[in-house]
Structures are given as C-alpha cells and as structure tokens.
C-alpha cells in the first residue's frame, strides 16, 4: 500500500481532522487482539460506541479489553498514521526503524563480544597464573628433592673421603717403604759404581792399566736371536732405523731376518743418500722395480752417479709422494718430465743444486697440481719466466705452502710478483743467500701472500726496515730467520712485538745495529721458545735481563748468545733463575763469562746441550752438577785440562757429543777416562789436541761402539795408519797431521802464543769466521 503523504493537502487535512487513521488503527487492533466470532457485528458495535462517545483522543488499544492490553510502552506511531498522516506530525519512518534496530543489535553484539573478550582474558590470566604457580611448585619440589639428594650425597662423599683417606694413608705407607728400599738399592749401586770408577781412575793414574782395560768388561757370550723373538711391530720399528746397505746385510744373516727385511713397510721410505758413493743405476733400478708399488719417500740427495735409467724407474713409482733429487748432477729437464708425468701424487719435491730450467717448471705446473713443498735452492738456470710458468701455467702449483728460492740470484722483482699472484697460499718461505734481494721484492711478494707463517732471510744484506716492517705485519708469523743484515734496526722489532703475538722462533744473527732495546721490545711476547742473537755485539746484560724477566723468560728452550762479547756472569745468573725449561745454551766466545757463571748453570736440570767454546774458563765444577748434559762443546778453551774430562766421565755418563778441539792440555789419559765410562758417545772432535797419540784411537775403538763421527784435524802425534784402521768402524772421520793454525792460540808443542803474535791471532780469528761461514753455507 502506497503512502498518502504525497496526496493533496485538503485530503490529508481531512484525514487528520476526523482522526481517521487513529479510528482505523483502533478497529484493526481490536479485531486482531479480541478475535471476535462475528467481525462485522464487532465493528458495528464499536462504530456505534464511537459515534455515541465521539472520537476524542482515541488510542490504538481503545477497543481491546483491559485484561488483554499489553504492558509495553508505545515507542512509535502506527503505520496507518504513516500512511495517512502528514509529514510534519510523523515521528519515525521504516528506514529509521531499521537503523534503530541495526544500532540496537550492534550494541548488543558489541556488548556480548566485549564480555566474551573479557572472559577470555580472564581465563587466560587464570591459566597463566595457574602455570606460574605450577612452575613455582615444581621448582620448589625439585629444590627440595635436590636438597635431599645433596644432603645424602654429601654424607656419602664424607664417608667415601674418610675411606679414601684411610686407604691413601695405607698406600702411602706402603709406597714410602717401597721407595726407601729402591732408593737404598739405587744408592748402593751408585756408590759401588762410583767406588769402582774411582778405583779404576786411580789405577789409571798410577799406571797400572797401560792398555786401558775396559771398566765393565765381561766375556762375550753367544745367545739366541733375541730380535726375531720380539713382536713384529717392535722388530719393524728396530729395522726402520737401519740404512739401505745395512738392511741388505741384515737379509744375509738368517732366514728370519731375510723375511723381516722384505716387509713392504721397510721399503716405503728409501734413503739412497746414505750410500751415495756406492749407489749405481743398476742398484736403484733393481730396488725400485721390486718396491715401486709401496715406495712413498725417496731420497737421492748427492747421488751424482745416477743417470737416465734411475730417473726412468722413479717415474714408475705411482704412489711416490716425497722425492729428493738435490745435487743430482745427472738430472735434467727430460728426466724431470718423465718423473712429473709418472708421479702425479708428488707432494714434496727437492730440486736444489740441479741444472733444471724453465721447462721443468712448466712441467711441474702441468703435471703436479697438488705439489705443496718445493725447493729450487741454488738452481741458477731458470728465470722469471719459469716462475710465471710455475704459478700460472697449465693447472699451476697453486697449493704450494713451502717454497725455497735460496741462492737464486737471477730472480728479479717480476719473478716474485709471479709467485705472489699464483701461489698466494704460501706459508713457509726460504730466501737465503740472496745478495740481490731488495725491499721491493719482499713487498711485492707479501702484498698477496698474507698467510706467511715462517720466513728465512739469511744472507740478505740489502733489506731495510721497510721490508721487515712489511713482514712483521703478518699476524700469523711464528718463525723468522735473519742473518748478516746491518740495516735492520730496533724500530722493526718494536713493530714485531705489536703485530706478531704468536712468534715462537726468533733468529737474528750478525745484525750489528740490534741493541738491548730490541730485546726489551720482545719481552712482552708470550710464546718465544728459541732466541738466537749470535754475533749481535751490542747485546749486553740489561737486554738479556729485560727479555728473561718478560713473558717468555720461563718458557724459552734454546738461547744462542754466541760472540755477544758484552754478556757476563750477570746474564748467566738470570738464566739460571728464570729459564727452567732451557735445553740448549750457547755462550761461544763470550769473553766476559767466567767459571763462576758457568757453575751457576749446573743447577739447571733441563739443560742437555751447552756450548762454552772460546771462553776463558778453566777446570771447574760444572760437570759435577749437570749430570744430564748430552752435548758439550768446550773447544778452544785453552786452560781446560784432563781434570775436566775426568769429572765429565765420572758424572755425565749420558754424553753423546763432545768437542774438545783446540784444547792443548789434553792428553791420552783424558780420552781414556772418557771412553771407559761414556758408552753412548756418537760425535767426538779432538782436533788440535797436539798431545794425543795413537793410543787414543785404541781406546775409542775398544769402548765407543756407537761412535759415528771422529774429527782429528791438526793432531801431529796421531798417524795415518792408525786412522785407517779406525775408518771401517766409524761412519765419518776427518784427519790431518798439520800444525795448528795461529788463531788456535798455541804452537805445535801446545805452548800458548805471547802478546807479540796478537796481530796474527786477530787475523786468524777473521779466517776462523770465514771458515765457519763456509761451513754454514755448505750445511745449507
């Protein structure tokens, strides 16, 4: 039904004036609520009532009984008023009803949602509180449980401690008793041995033993083959120390030894260098053909008689990893080509002192990409182009971690640049005897090689502080060797102490500008184990004191103070007090060191090697206290006599190396003392002992079964025939019967030179230094 609001005004005024909408609404509401049986009659009656009473103010429930009228409050006008009423008198429209209803429903929903959210928050809060209370309860329960366990464990520990204490007391008592028994037995044996030795020496002095009877001689007894009865692992360990010639001889002893010598593990490492003067191509070829599947290491150093057949057989050793062909005169580029192609597993290669050229380096880069150690020392025929091939040609030797270019003076800055660009993983670098080496070479090399761990620069006089400062920038540096450099100063070592905290080996010999300030700067370094300041004549007692009182003083193991002429007994006192781990000490030609200082070193139990040659010491008590010394050098100590060797033989039974060269007061009796007791002597130098005769060689041959090296230079009283008899028993002998040189400080009769020969003596010292330098170069 459409609305009459758009009807004409008179019509709407008529409807409003006669209240037609209210009458119609009241009649309809009465019908709907009362539901009469006869609606027409009901309408007729109500209309009559309305005519009788007048319309007045009639409400919608005027025709509804009181009992059935609702108690609700009227909130809106009737729909009929909406249909018939005017626009001004109408309060609400259907659209407003919908909006009001929607607003009411939304408010109810919001109120319900807020109530639900609050309820959820409350439940969550309650749950969190519950969990927190449960955790607290659990912690409380756990702590109570742990406390109970701890109390019980504590009671048990106290009980066990009491038991352990009682047991330890019983064990300690038994141990003390056993220890006392062993000490008494050892003391008794030592006392008997000392008594026997003393009586033996007294008989020697009285001349009752002219032939030097053996102190502990006993008739030789034949026994069973004890070696073959040992476990195989022990037997192989013993035979691994035998060289190739002796191994061949052992194979001829008996059948069991022959089987042992044929074990493959004994031939995995073959050293032909020990028999280099006897080895020929035929022998090498035969051995390698039999052992080629399991040869891993092969040493052919100084085997100059080998040629193409030997090198061809080397190429058949496919598992070869370590090859040393240093000083092999027959080696050439063609031989190295065959070896490189046949041995791709090579990791270590020594080509020093050979005639290889750029062609060999090119083959190495192509065939040996896994090569890690390479020595080209004193190879003069390759150029910078060869290093370029090595670093970048083919696959390139990019895994090199060790490179030795000592003596390769033909290399320029470009060569080092090639090495740096292709071998940036280098860790160990050796560039000794390079008089052409400059700062530019080092800087170019270290610009890309930043993993350097050790570097050796012996005999590089033109390097300055700039190069060493570049070297010392490497924080991984642990070893450095410098010698014969007069340009390096204390400033470099100040930088070293800041940037190289892991340095453990410091060798800076013959660096004339180094002073005590360098040692003071290094005192803060914590890990120095080896310190060599030989021929650094400006080093004195304050510098040694500063270093030893630093972080490395108690850790140092090797200390070389050779020719440090300003070092005195004060430094030796510091050494004896601080250096409890020192094993090697050199005081060679330290003029201010006296007997008092040397005696202080006798209390150092760790000291096993000491060099006091060229000092002004005399017969002293050092050997009585230093019973663990194994290597002793007292050469050119002009005042040392037989008494020193007598004390040495009586107290230091474990001596293995002894140098008494240039001691003119030594006689045959001193060697008789020594050889009668010191059974482990390996190296003996008696050069310049002019009073020693052939009887010495008899003593040595009879008692020193393990002697390997015997030097007898300038021994006028020893004959050539006696030496030739001994050569078969000793691995290396050096002999001449010339007069001692002037720099020895005495004449052919052993008489000390007077002051009028001082000039010749100084000249002799210079010659001595040259000889030592040549010997060092030969060793390198």
């Amino acid at each position: 039904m459409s609305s009459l609001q758009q009807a004409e005004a008179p019509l709407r005024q008529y409807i409003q004036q006669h209240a037609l909408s209210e009458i119609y609404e009241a009649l309809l509401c009465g019908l709907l609520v009362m539901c009469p049986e006869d609606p027409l009659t009901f309408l007729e009656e109500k209309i009559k009532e309305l005519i009788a009473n007048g319309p007045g103010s009639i409400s919608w429930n005027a025709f509804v009984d009181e009992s059935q009228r609702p108690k609700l409050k009227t909130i809106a006008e009737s729909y009929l008023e909406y249909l018939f009423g005017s626009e001004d008198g109408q309060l609400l429209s259907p659209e407003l009803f919908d909006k009001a209803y929607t607003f009411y429903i939304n408010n109810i929903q919001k109120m319900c949602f807020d109530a639900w959210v609050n309820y959820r928050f409350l439940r969550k809060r309650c749950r969190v509180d519950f969990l927190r209370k449960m955790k607290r309860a659990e912690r409380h329960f756990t702590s109570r449980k742990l406390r109970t366990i701890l109390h019980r464990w504590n009671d048990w520990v106290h009980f066990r401690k009491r038991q352990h204490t009682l047991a330890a007391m019983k064990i300690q008592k038994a141990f003390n008793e056993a220890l006392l028994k062993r000490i008494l037995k050892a003391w008794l044996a030592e006392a008997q041995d000392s008594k026997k030795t003393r009586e033996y020496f007294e008989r020697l002095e009285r001349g009752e033993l002219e032939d030097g009877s053996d102190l502990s001689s006993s008739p030789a007894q034949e026994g069973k083959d004890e070696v073959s009865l040992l476990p195989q692992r022990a037997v192989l360990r013993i035979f691994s120390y035998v060289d190739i010639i002796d191994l061949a001889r052992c194979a001829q002893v008996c059948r069991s030894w022959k089987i042992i010598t044929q074990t493959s593990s004994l031939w995995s490492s073959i050293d032909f260098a020990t028999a280099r003067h006897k080895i020929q191509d035929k022998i090498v070829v035969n051995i390698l053909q039999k052992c080629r599947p399991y040869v891993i290491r092969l040493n052919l150093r100084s085997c100059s008689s080998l040629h193409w057949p030997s090198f061809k057989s080397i190429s058949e050793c496919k598992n070869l990893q370590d090859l040393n062909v240093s000083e092999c005169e027959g080696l050439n580029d063609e031989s190295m080509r065959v070896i490189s192609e046949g041995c791709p597993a090579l990791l270590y290669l020594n080509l020093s002192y050979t005639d290889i050229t750029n062609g060999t380096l090119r083959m190495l880069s192509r065939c040996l990409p896994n090569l890690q150690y390479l020595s080209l020392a004193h190879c003069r025929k390759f150029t910078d182009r060869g290093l370029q091939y090595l670093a970048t040609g083919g696959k390139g030797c990019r895994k090199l971690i060790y490179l030795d270019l000592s003596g390769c003076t033909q290399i320029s800055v470009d060569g080092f640049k090639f090495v740096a660009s292709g071998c940036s993983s280098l860790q160990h670098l050796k560039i000794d005897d390079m008089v052409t080496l400059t700062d530019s070479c080092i800087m170019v090399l270290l610009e890309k090689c930043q993993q350097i761990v050790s570097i050796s620069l012996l005999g590089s006089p033109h390097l300055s502080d700039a190069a060493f400062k570049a070297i010392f920038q490497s924080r991984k540096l642990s070893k450095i060797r410098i010698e014969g450099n007069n340009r390096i100063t204390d400033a470099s070592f100040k930088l070293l102490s800041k940037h190289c905290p892991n340095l453990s080996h410091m060798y800076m010999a013959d660096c004339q500008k180094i002073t005590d300030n360098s040692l003071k700067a290094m005192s803060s370094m914590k890990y120095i184990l080896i310190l060599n300041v030989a021929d650094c004549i400006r080093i004195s007692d304050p510098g040694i004191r500063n270093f030893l009182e630093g972080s490395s003083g108690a850790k140092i193991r090797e200390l070389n103070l050779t020719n440090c002429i300003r070092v005195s007994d004060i430094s030796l006192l510091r050494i004896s007090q601080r250096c409890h781990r020192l094993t090697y000490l050199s005081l060679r030609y330290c003029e201010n060191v006296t007997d008092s200082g040397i005696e202080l070193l006798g209390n150092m139990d760790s000291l096993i090697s000491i060099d006091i040659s060229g000092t002004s010491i005399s017969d002293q008590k050092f050997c009585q206290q230093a019973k663990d010394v194994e290597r002793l050098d007292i050469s050119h100590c002009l005042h040392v006599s037989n008494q020193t060797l007598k004390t040495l033989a009586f107290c230091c039974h474990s001596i293995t190396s002894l140098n008494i060269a240039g001691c003119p007061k030594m006689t045959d009796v001193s060697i008789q003392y020594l050889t009668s007791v010191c059974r482990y002597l390996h190296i003996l130098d008696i050069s310049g002992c002019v009073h020693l005769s052939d009887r010495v060689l008899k003593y040595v041959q009879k008692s020193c079964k393990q002697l390997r090296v015997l030097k007898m230079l300038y021994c006028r009283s020893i004959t050539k025939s006696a030496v030739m008899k001994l050569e078969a028993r000793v691995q290396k002998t050096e002999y001449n019967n010339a007069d001692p040189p002037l720099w020895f400080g005495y004449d052919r009769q052993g008489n000390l030179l007077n002051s009028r020969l001082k000039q010749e003596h100084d000249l002799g010292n210079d010659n001595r230094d040259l000889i030592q330098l040549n010997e060092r170069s030969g060793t390198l």
Side-chain angles (χ1 to χ4, degrees):
M1 183 178 180
S2 60
S3 175
L4 296 178
Q5 292 181 1
Q6 302 299 328
E8 295 180 356
L11 178 59
R12 287 189 286 110
Q13 185 177 4
Y14 175 81
I15 293 172
Q16 186 176 5
Q17 181 179 359
H18 297 282
L20 295 181
S21 60
E22 288 83 353
I23 295 172
Y24 183 67
E25 181 181 14
L27 291 175
L28 286 179
C29 289
L31 286 174
L32 293 176
V33 176
M34 300 301 295
C35 298
E37 294 179 1
D38 189 357
L40 295 177
T41 305
F42 178 78
L43 289 175
E44 183 179 359
E45 292 176 355
K46 296 301 179 183
I47 291 173
K48 290 180 178 179
E49 290 180 6
L50 185 64
I51 293 172
N53 299 329
S57 176
I58 186 171
S59 63
W60 65 276
N61 57 356
F63 303 128
V64 178
D65 292 343
E66 292 291 338
S67 61
Q68 294 185 3
R69 290 182 182 180
K71 304 299 182 181
L72 299 176
K73 182 180 179 181
T74 302
I75 60 173
E77 296 176 336
S78 66
Y79 185 67
L80 295 176
E81 290 180 349
Y82 168 72
L83 292 176
F84 300 104
S86 63
E87 185 175 0
D88 296 336
Q90 188 174 349
L91 297 177
L92 295 175
S93 64
E95 289 81 0
L96 292 177
F97 273 109
D98 291 339
K99 187 179 293 186
Y101 178 78
T102 303
F103 177 76
Y104 175 73
I105 294 300
N106 289 341
N107 282 343
I108 292 177
Q109 290 179 348
K110 183 177 179 182
M111 181 181 63
C112 293
F113 181 75
D114 290 342
W116 177 80
V117 169
N118 292 333
Y119 171 75
R120 294 300 302 170
F121 280 145
L122 180 62
R123 290 291 304 273
K124 185 176 181 180
R125 228 174 10 253
C126 293
R127 186 165 58 251
V128 171
D129 292 340
F130 176 75
L131 292 176
R132 184 168 60 253
K133 292 177 181 178
M134 287 299 296
K135 287 183 179 179
R136 290 180 60 186
E138 184 178 358
R139 285 197 299 270
H140 178 71
F141 174 76
T142 303
S143 63
R144 289 290 301 273
K145 185 178 179 181
L146 290 176
R147 190 179 296 109
T148 303
I149 294 173
L150 183 61
H151 286 312
R152 293 182 180 179
W153 176 81
N154 191 27
D155 296 338
W156 180 83
V157 168
H158 285 301
F159 172 73
R160 295 294 296 176
K161 280 185 176 181
R162 287 193 297 271
Q163 287 188 329
H164 288 171
T165 302
L166 295 175
M169 291 174 62
K170 294 180 180 179
I171 294 173
Q172 186 66 36
K173 183 179 179 181
F175 173 77
N176 291 338
E177 293 176 355
L179 180 62
L180 288 175
K181 291 181 181 179
R182 298 197 63 177
I183 290 175
L184 288 175
K185 289 181 180 180
W187 174 81
L188 180 60
E190 184 68 21
Q192 292 176 349
D193 183 64
S194 299
K195 182 179 178 181
K196 188 176 180 180
T197 304
R198 187 182 300 107
E199 292 176 353
Y200 175 75
F201 286 160
E202 290 176 355
R203 294 172 63 190
L204 284 178
E205 293 175 354
R206 292 196 299 266
E208 297 178 6
L209 299 175
E210 294 296 333
D211 295 332
S213 302
D214 196 352
L215 180 61
S216 59
S217 60
S218 59
Q221 298 180 357
E222 298 244 350
K224 296 182 180 180
D225 181 12
E226 297 180 354
V227 175
S228 301
L229 299 178
L230 293 173
Q232 185 178 6
R233 185 175 180 180
V235 173
L236 294 178
R237 184 65 178 270
I238 293 173
F239 276 83
S240 65
Y241 295 102
V242 179
D243 60 34
I244 187 171
I245 295 179
D246 291 336
L247 200 61
R249 292 172 180 170
C250 292
Q252 302 174 5
V253 173
C254 61
R255 182 178 299 176
S256 62
W257 282 34
K258 183 177 181 180
I259 295 174
I260 294 173
T261 57
Q262 292 176 352
T263 306
S264 60
S265 61
L266 294 177
W267 296 94
S268 62
S269 178
I270 303 178
D271 187 2
F272 289 112
T274 57
R276 55 184 175 273
H277 300 299
K278 301 178 182 179
I279 292 296
Q280 301 295 330
D281 287 330
K282 183 179 179 180
I283 299 174
V284 174
V285 171
N286 290 337
I287 293 177
L288 293 183
Q289 283 181 350
K290 295 177 181 179
C291 307
R292 64 178 182 272
Y294 33 81
V295 174
I296 298 177
R297 291 177 292 276
L298 185 60
N299 185 6
L300 297 171
R301 185 181 182 90
S302 302
C303 296
S304 56
S305 60
L306 301 184
H307 298 88
W308 172 256
S310 298
F311 301 128
K312 182 67 171 63
S313 62
I314 294 174
S315 65
E316 298 176 0
C317 302
K318 304 299 182 181
N319 297 320
L320 188 64
Q321 297 181 8
D322 187 349
L323 176 62
N324 187 344
V325 289
S326 175
E327 302 180 44
C328 290
E329 297 178 358
L331 187 72
N332 53 32
D333 289 344
E334 182 62 20
S335 304
M336 280 307 304
R337 182 188 66 80
V338 174
I339 294 174
S340 301
E341 293 177 348
C343 304
L346 270 177
L347 300 177
Y348 305 80
L349 181 60
N350 189 341
L351 299 175
S352 59
Y353 295 94
T354 58
D355 294 332
I356 57 103
T357 65
N358 295 341
T360 294
L361 300 184
R362 175 177 286 184
M363 290 304 302
L364 295 182
S365 65
R366 291 179 179 178
C367 303
L368 304 177
N370 297 320
L371 192 65
Q372 296 181 4
Y373 293 77
L374 177 62
S375 175
L376 300 174
H378 299 277
C379 296
R380 302 292 179 84
K381 293 189 176 181
F382 71 88
T383 63
D384 294 341
R385 181 59 60 88
L387 294 179
Q388 184 179 11
Y389 293 151
L390 180 69
T392 59
K395 298 179 182 179
C397 298
R398 302 184 183 276
K399 296 183 180 181
L400 275 180
I401 61 176
Y402 176 93
L403 182 61
D404 187 354
L405 297 175
S406 301
C408 299
T409 55
Q410 75 275 14
I411 302 177
S412 65
V413 178
D414 293 336
F416 287 101
K417 187 181 297 184
F418 294 142
V419 171
S421 61
C423 306
S424 58
S425 299
L426 278 176
Q427 298 179 12
H428 308 278
L429 191 59
K430 191 174 183 180
I431 319 177
D432 297 338
D433 302 321
M434 286 279 285
V435 295
T436 58
L437 194 66
T438 62
D439 294 347
S440 301
C441 299
I442 297 297
M443 291 181 178
V444 168
L445 185 63
L446 295 180
E447 184 178 354
K448 294 184 179 180
C449 298
Q450 299 179 358
Q451 306 296 322
I452 296 296
V453 175
S454 66
I455 185 169
S456 179
L457 299 169
L458 305 183
S460 300
H462 300 299
L463 295 181
S464 66
D465 284 338
F468 291 109
K469 288 179 180 179
I471 295 172
F472 296 157
Q473 292 294 332
S474 176
R475 299 191 65 86
K476 296 184 178 180
L477 190 66
S478 63
K479 296 182 180 180
I480 183 168
R481 295 166 59 87
I482 310 167
E483 182 178 358
N485 188 296
N486 295 331
R487 301 184 65 186
I488 186 172
T489 64
D490 295 333
S492 296
F493 291 95
K494 292 180 181 179
L495 186 65
L496 172 69
S497 62
K498 296 180 181 179
H499 292 85
C500 301
N502 299 321
L503 192 71
S504 61
H505 186 141
M506 187 67 225
Y507 182 102
M508 49 180 183
D510 195 17
C511 297
Q512 302 299 324
K513 292 186 178 181
I514 298 302
T515 67
D516 293 338
N517 292 330
S518 294
L519 294 182
K520 184 177 180 180
M522 289 191 292
S523 64
S524 61
M525 306 182 74
K526 300 180 179 179
Y527 305 107
I528 294 183
L529 301 179
I530 299 175
L531 177 63
N532 189 331
V533 290
D535 298 316
C536 295
I537 57 177
R538 296 189 180 185
I539 298 295
S540 61
D541 292 333
I544 300 296
R545 183 197 64 207
N546 289 330
F547 176 78
L548 295 181
E549 291 179 353
S551 302
S552 299
K555 301 176 183 177
I556 192 162
R557 296 181 180 177
E558 296 185 15
L559 180 60
N560 192 333
L561 302 176
T562 298
N563 202 30
C564 293
I565 56 177
R566 301 185 183 185
V567 172
S568 66
D569 294 344
I570 298 176
S571 294
L572 300 190
L573 176 61
R574 295 291 183 183
I575 291 173
S576 65
Q577 293 174 343
R578 290 282 296 167
C579 304
H580 304 299
R581 298 184 181 180
L582 190 67
T583 59
Y584 170 81
L585 176 62
S586 177
L587 301 170
R588 191 180 182 91
Y589 295 104
C590 292
E591 301 173 354
N592 294 321
V593 171
T594 65
D595 290 342
S596 300
I598 297 298
E599 289 182 9
L600 293 173
L601 303 177
N603 298 322
M604 301 180 64
D605 297 333
S606 61
L607 194 62
I608 62 175
S609 178
I610 182 169
D611 185 351
I612 50 178
S613 60
T615 58
S616 58
I617 65 169
S618 59
D619 295 329
Q620 34 77 33
K621 300 180 180 179
F622 166 74
C623 297
Q624 294 181 358
Q625 299 171 321
K627 296 183 178 181
D628 296 326
V629 170
E630 298 179 5
R631 294 181 292 274
L632 178 63
D633 190 342
I634 53 175
S635 59
H636 304 287
C637 295
L638 303 180
H639 302 290
V640 171
S641 65
N642 294 341
Q643 183 62 34
T644 297
L645 285 195
K646 180 179 179 180
T647 306
L648 178 69
F650 189 80
C651 300
C652 303
H653 295 176
S654 59
I655 192 78
T656 60
S657 176
L658 178 63
N659 189 347
I660 56 173
C663 297
K665 294 185 178 182
M666 295 294 180
T667 64
D668 294 344
V669 176
S670 63
I671 303 301
Q672 191 175 9
Y673 290 148
L674 182 70
T675 57
S676 299
V677 181
C678 300
R679 305 292 181 179
Y680 305 105
L681 199 61
H682 294 165
I683 302 173
L684 178 61
D685 189 349
I686 56 175
S687 300
C689 297
V690 294
H691 295 303
L692 299 184
S693 64
D694 292 345
R695 295 178 61 186
V696 170
L697 302 187
K698 294 182 181 179
Y699 302 148
V700 170
Q701 184 174 1
K702 186 173 183 179
S703 302
C704 299
K705 304 297 183 182
Q706 300 185 22
L707 191 66
R708 300 176 183 175
V709 179
L710 179 60
K711 296 183 180 181
M712 302 164 286
L713 303 178
Y714 314 117
C715 294
R716 297 180 58 256
S717 301
I718 297 178
T719 62
K720 179 66 175 178
S721 59
V723 174
M724 293 179 65
K725 292 179 182 179
L726 187 65
E727 285 181 346
R729 301 285 300 274
V730 181
Q731 183 176 347
K732 179 181 179 181
T733 58
E734 295 182 12
Y735 166 76
N736 67 44
N737 57 359
D739 292 337
L742 291 178
W743 61 269
F744 269 40
Y746 54 89
D747 58 17
R748 58 188 301 177
Q749 283 80 28
N751 300 319
L752 299 182
L753 298 177
N754 55 29
S755 58
R756 290 178 296 177
L757 297 178
K758 188 177 185 300
Q759 182 177 1
E760 289 84 352
H761 178 68
D762 293 340
L763 180 61
N765 285 336
D766 295 338
N767 294 332
R768 178 198 64 200
D769 293 338
L770 291 175
I771 291 173
Q772 291 176 352
L773 180 60
N774 292 333
E775 289 178 352
R776 188 183 298 114
S777 300
T779 303
L780 293 174

